[in-house]
Amino acid sequence: MSDLSNPIETRETILIVDDNPVNLGVVGEHLEQHGYQVLVALGGEEALKRAAFVGPDLILLDVMMPGIDGFETCRRLKADPVTSDIPVIFMTALGEIRDKIAAFEAGGLDYVTKPFQIEEVLARIGTHLSLRATKQRLALQNEVLAQEVVARRKTEAELRDSEEGFRQLFETAGDGILLLDTHTLCVADANRRFLELIGQPGEAVLGKHADELPWLSGTIARSLDRLTVEGALQLPDCEIAGCDGAPVSVDIVASACEMKGRRLAQLNFRDVSERKKADAQIRYLALHDALTGLANRTMFYERLSGEMAHARRKGGRVALLVIDLDHFKQVNDSLGHLIGDQLLEAAAGRILACLRECDLAARLGGDEFAVALSEIEGREQAQEVAERILAALKVPFELGGQLAHVSGSIGVSLFPEDGESPRVLMRAADTAMYGAKKSGRNGYKSYSHDLDVPGERWRILSQDVHDACARGELEVYYQPQISLQSGEITGLECLLRWNHPQEGLISPVVFIPLLEERGLMVEVGSWILQQACRQNAEWQAKGLPPVRIAVNLSAQQFYRGDIVQSVREALRVSGLDPRWLELELTESLTLDDSEATVLIMQDLKALGIALSLDDFGTGWSSLSYLRRFPLDRIKIDRTFVRDMESHDGTAAIIQSILNLARTLGMDCVAEGVETEEQRDSLLRQDCPVMQGFLFSEPLTAEGIPHLLRGNSRSA
């Protein structure tokens, strides 16, 4: 028998699939530091070949890649018997619920959204590798047991030729063996291993009728008349009282033999307690969330489907609640992922406390939970549960000596009114949940067909946004940035607009998420960068005064688009001096305080361009990254400028930001200035630059030369 307790020490292999070499290098370095062997693939096709050839223990898979995307790559991995059992964790900048659903439907086991903390990734990798190792050990144990059964039967056949040989096998067997007279159903003999197993002397069982032995049910006894000398019968597993009184799980194989004219049934009892525990652990891990202990997505869909089928037969109703924790990301980013995990566990406990025993709660992933309410009378009862959950979540969470405040947004759907299948019902509840978020969060909304109207528009625009750039529907507008002291134009910010052929100008709030969801931001962002550099160089060639031109970067461009090479190429083709180009980074992007982020920023600065931090103060601002990152400018978000006259506290925040920028040697731009009062207040606080409708709304390229010529005269 193989020694399963001392496996050969090997390094577990992880295949990272990402078309961005920077991501591969950073993640791979951390994994190697923790003892993993790391392989890389730069796209889906390469990943399929390497996975089939190497057989890695786990795959980290990006979604947005040239050629086949991550979803299709995962589907092909799962369809190939050679790679089907390799666990896949998606790592992507896509964070929408529909992307997560697509990932799980493709066969992925987990989903990590960029930017991420490496500690979280390592924890998830460890969990899935442990689960896979447990499954493999169980499969190996089953294979060894099967081989032993074959060998045992062969040996038994050889030894049964003599009574002496049979007695030797009987006494030395590793299994507990019980002999029953098939005619009287009384115990004829029991070997030493069997008596050790039950912790009783031989006289306690010898001569006993099968009905007197609690672990030999009538069903087992009656099945013995089906035995033949040539065959064996696998009887149902059962539990017997062990030597310490604790139940012992055994499986029983029955076979027949002839001895001194008596026909005997030989029952081989094998202790399978450890195997049962391993089976139970695997079943539990496969159906439950490892962090909260709630049902996972797989178990939830199975139970929900069963509840809906029961309600359909009985003419009843089932309610589905989808719960998303508001502001959980800020807690995670500010207090750390350990506190974030504790918050998720505590939130799961509070949700469970609001439910009946017949209800089911699940964690779908991240900070998303779901609840199935069975045997309810109507929508009002589901709404009452939603109100109880909201009230429970509003109470502050005390975690690690710190208080964390979150609320919830809940969507409610009802079977059969809102959907006839689990997926349709889930989609309805998810739509209602997003409606609750748009209504201000910390509330619930019941599904209605009116909520599908925005969803249908989203679907249509999602199709139309493809090739919008090639069709000439995307345009770059420019908004001036003005010196508050001199009134001169110091820069221009590029703003993307979509001129839809049917709907006209569509708000960036609508179509920018569409571009990101469809993985088009790298392509479109590169086009904007080229347009901005070319246009600025063209204005300067016409003798207009040079000004900085600022281009916004998305996280997808920054981490996946080889942004350094894109900027270098745009400057080379346009001939623009790098000092006249500025890249605006979002605050959420800089929250990923990793070496990769710093290296990319340093490489960009080495080109001679400027970097600014957009919308400062709207997220979880950190002095540490302001000192750590090579930034030139901070942009004060328009919400602060809007409220500065009506809220004294807001004016104080702006003054603090300005003081901070001066201390760190940075410039400052106030966005969204629309009134004379706002301008005068900023001037009193020595804000150097403003931007907003007070001076000019965003203009097409044709409207800028006139302003720049005026800029030249005022200088």
Side-chain angles (χ1 to χ4, degrees):
M1 178 175 176
S2 302
D3 186 358
L4 299 176
S5 62
N6 294 297
I8 298 174
E9 188 70 26
T10 57
R11 295 176 67 196
E12 292 167 307
T13 302
I14 297 178
L15 175 63
I16 308 176
V17 186
D18 196 315
D19 63 317
N20 187 347
V22 173
N23 292 341
L24 294 173
V26 173
V27 178
E29 180 180 348
H30 282 289
L31 293 176
E32 287 179 341
Q33 289 174 356
H34 283 77
Y36 296 111
Q37 182 178 353
V38 177
L39 304 175
V40 299
L42 294 174
E45 296 288 357
E46 182 180 347
L48 294 172
K49 294 176 182 177
R50 297 213 73 179
F53 180 74
V54 176
D57 296 290
L58 185 138
I59 296 174
L60 298 178
L61 181 58
D62 192 17
V63 173
M64 297 174 293
M65 299 182 293
I68 62 173
D69 64 12
F71 298 143
E72 179 60 25
T73 301
C74 187
R75 280 191 286 269
R76 295 189 189 183
L77 286 168
K78 295 303 174 181
D80 187 343
V82 176
T83 57
S84 61
D85 68 334
I86 301 174
V88 176
I89 298 177
F90 282 95
M91 296 175 61
T92 174
L94 301 178
E96 294 293 326
I97 185 69
R98 58 178 64 85
D99 300 312
K100 297 179 182 180
I101 292 174
F104 289 116
E105 289 177 341
L109 289 183
D110 212 336
Y111 194 98
V112 181
T113 306
K114 299 177 184 176
F116 53 80
Q117 294 289 334
I118 193 65
E119 292 81 4
E120 177 188 5
V121 177
L122 288 169
R124 297 193 183 201
I125 288 173
T127 297
H128 291 297
L129 286 176
S130 176
L131 176 59
R132 186 172 192 249
T134 302
K135 289 181 177 178
Q136 290 175 331
R137 283 197 301 271
L138 179 60
L140 180 58
Q141 288 174 340
N142 288 337
E143 182 180 349
V144 170
L145 288 174
Q147 292 172 354
E148 286 187 350
V149 169
V150 172
R152 182 182 67 196
R153 289 177 178 172
K154 181 180 179 181
T155 303
E156 288 174 354
E158 294 172 351
L159 291 176
R160 282 197 185 101
D161 293 339
S162 69
E163 184 176 338
E164 180 181 352
F166 179 79
R167 174 56 57 180
Q168 179 184 354
L169 171 66
F170 184 74
E171 293 298 339
T172 61
D175 291 350
I177 301 178
L178 190 70
L179 296 180
L180 283 177
D181 187 311
T182 56
H183 179 66
T184 64
L185 290 183
C186 291
V187 177
D189 207 347
N191 73 344
R192 184 173 59 252
R193 173 63 183 137
F194 179 80
L195 298 176
E196 291 172 352
L197 195 64
I198 64 173
Q200 295 181 18
E203 54 266 25
V205 293
L206 293 177
K208 298 287 186 181
H209 192 277
D211 289 342
E212 298 180 68
L213 305 176
W215 25 267
L216 274 184
S217 67
T219 302
I220 292 177
R222 285 194 299 272
S223 65
L224 299 183
D225 60 7
R226 292 184 287 149
L227 289 176
T228 63
V229 175
E230 296 79 17
L233 184 65
Q234 179 72 54
L235 302 181
D237 292 359
C238 66
E239 287 188 349
I240 64 175
C243 56
D244 58 355
V248 177
S249 296
V250 293
D251 72 359
I252 309 174
V253 177
S255 57
C257 62
E258 298 284 347
M259 187 176 298
K260 294 182 178 181
R262 299 172 67 191
R263 190 168 187 272
L264 301 177
Q266 176 180 321
L267 305 184
N268 285 55
F269 290 76
R270 169 161 293 192
D271 185 349
V272 292
S273 300
E274 291 302 317
R275 192 190 74 191
K276 292 280 188 180
K277 290 179 182 177
D279 285 344
Q281 178 69 3
I282 288 176
R283 283 195 298 272
Y284 183 86
L285 290 173
L287 297 175
H288 291 81
D289 174 54
L291 176 64
T292 64
L294 298 180
N296 63 11
R297 183 183 297 272
T298 301
M299 179 180 179
F300 186 76
Y301 269 111
E302 289 179 1
R303 285 279 302 275
L304 179 61
S305 180
E307 292 295 341
M308 292 171 66
H310 178 75
R312 187 179 289 111
R313 291 192 300 270
K314 301 294 185 180
R317 287 183 169 85
V318 177
L320 175 61
L321 277 61
V322 171
I323 306 157
D324 188 87
L325 300 184
D326 302 325
H327 312 301
F328 174 74
K329 184 179 185 303
Q330 287 89 329
V331 174
N332 233 10
D333 292 337
S334 61
L335 301 181
H337 286 269
L338 181 61
I339 297 297
D341 286 349
Q342 293 176 9
L343 173 58
L344 291 173
E345 290 183 81
R350 292 188 185 183
I351 291 172
L352 276 176
C354 298
L355 307 179
R356 304 165 299 174
E357 288 189 7
C358 62
D359 300 327
L360 177 67
R363 181 180 175 220
L364 303 181
D367 60 340
E368 296 166 338
F369 297 86
V371 169
L373 305 175
S374 58
E375 300 180 5
I376 65 167
E377 297 178 358
R379 201 176 298 270
E380 295 77 13
Q381 191 176 348
Q383 291 171 347
E384 290 174 2
V385 175
E387 290 172 352
R388 287 203 300 271
I389 293 174
L390 290 173
L393 294 176
K394 282 181 65 177
V395 179
F397 292 82
E398 186 172 353
L399 307 166
Q402 302 185 70
L403 287 180
H405 298 265
V406 297
S407 56
S409 296
I410 303 179
V412 181
S413 61
L414 197 65
F415 169 83
E417 289 89 336
D418 302 330
E420 289 284 344
S421 71
R423 295 196 180 279
V424 174
L425 200 65
M426 178 67 75
R427 187 164 57 242
D430 194 56
T431 299
M433 184 270 290
Y434 277 106
K437 280 190 175 295
K438 291 178 181 178
S439 298
R441 304 175 189 268
N442 189 27
Y444 71 86
K445 188 175 285 292
S446 289
Y447 173 77
S448 68
H449 292 292
D450 293 342
L451 294 171
D452 277 333
V453 175
E456 179 66 15
R457 181 172 182 258
W458 180 275
R459 186 190 65 80
I460 294 172
L461 293 179
S462 294
Q463 300 299 322
D464 292 348
V465 79
H466 281 283
D467 300 323
C469 184
R471 294 192 300 267
E473 296 170 9
L474 297 183
E475 303 176 40
V476 179
Y477 279 57
Y478 305 87
Q479 187 171 39
Q481 297 171 343
I482 313 300
S483 167
L484 279 157
Q485 292 292 338
S486 66
E488 296 177 8
I489 298 175
T490 62
L492 298 166
E493 180 183 1
C494 295
L495 300 169
L496 186 62
R497 296 292 183 265
W498 182 13
N499 194 357
H500 192 276
Q502 280 78 44
E503 297 198 22
L505 284 177
I506 296 176
S507 168
V509 175
V510 174
F511 73 82
I512 293 297
L514 284 173
L515 292 172
E516 293 177 338
E517 178 185 293
R518 295 291 178 170
L520 300 174
M521 273 310 306
V522 174
E523 174 189 343
V524 173
S526 179
W527 174 79
I528 298 170
L529 186 62
Q530 294 169 8
Q531 287 288 102
C533 291
R534 180 194 60 76
Q535 185 63 74
N536 202 6
E538 183 180 308
W539 285 328
Q540 293 182 27
K542 292 180 178 179
L544 295 172
V547 295
R548 283 188 333 276
I549 194 159
V551 179
N552 291 277
L553 289 188
S554 72
Q556 290 183 13
Q557 285 177 272
F558 191 85
Y559 289 112
R560 296 194 60 255
D562 194 2
I563 187 60
V564 178
Q565 178 57 32
S566 296
V567 172
R568 184 184 291 116
E569 182 65 14
L571 291 171
R572 184 191 67 79
V573 172
S574 65
L576 181 67
D577 190 318
R579 62 177 171 156
W580 301 116
L581 175 63
E582 177 180 297
L583 298 182
E584 294 190 1
L585 313 176
T586 62
E587 191 171 14
S588 61
L589 184 153
T590 56
L591 281 171
D592 180 24
D593 187 359
S594 65
E595 289 300 323
T597 304
V598 175
L599 288 174
I600 294 173
M601 290 187 182
Q602 290 174 345
D603 288 344
L604 289 171
K605 287 291 295 179
L607 298 177
I609 68 171
L611 297 178
S612 65
L613 183 59
D614 196 17
D615 299 335
F616 183 78
T618 57
W620 288 75
S621 309
S622 169
L623 290 177
S624 63
Y625 67 65
L626 286 181
R627 291 194 303 266
R628 180 169 163 79
F629 296 148
L631 300 168
D632 300 280
R633 191 168 289 103
I634 296 174
K635 299 192 73 176
I636 302 173
D637 187 67
R638 64 183 66 250
T639 55
F640 293 115
V641 175
R642 181 194 62 203
D643 298 337
M644 63 188 302
E645 292 300 305
S646 56
H647 297 87
D648 293 338
T650 304
I653 291 174
I654 291 178
Q655 186 63 64
S656 298
I657 295 173
L658 291 168
N659 293 338
L660 175 63
R662 283 191 284 268
T663 301
L664 296 175
M666 298 179 187
D667 201 358
C668 225
V669 179
E671 298 182 291
V673 180
E674 298 181 356
T675 67
E676 298 283 353
E677 291 77 11
Q678 291 170 350
R679 181 194 63 186
D680 293 343
S681 180
L682 291 168
L683 188 58
R684 287 193 299 271
Q685 296 186 70
D686 294 327
C687 180
V689 180
M690 72 172 190
Q691 175 182 339
F693 282 13
L694 178 63
F695 182 85
S696 174
E697 63 183 21
L699 302 171
T700 62
E702 290 74 19
I704 296 299
H706 171 72
L707 293 179
L708 292 181
R709 291 190 190 97
N711 199 45
S712 178
R713 287 193 295 272
S714 65

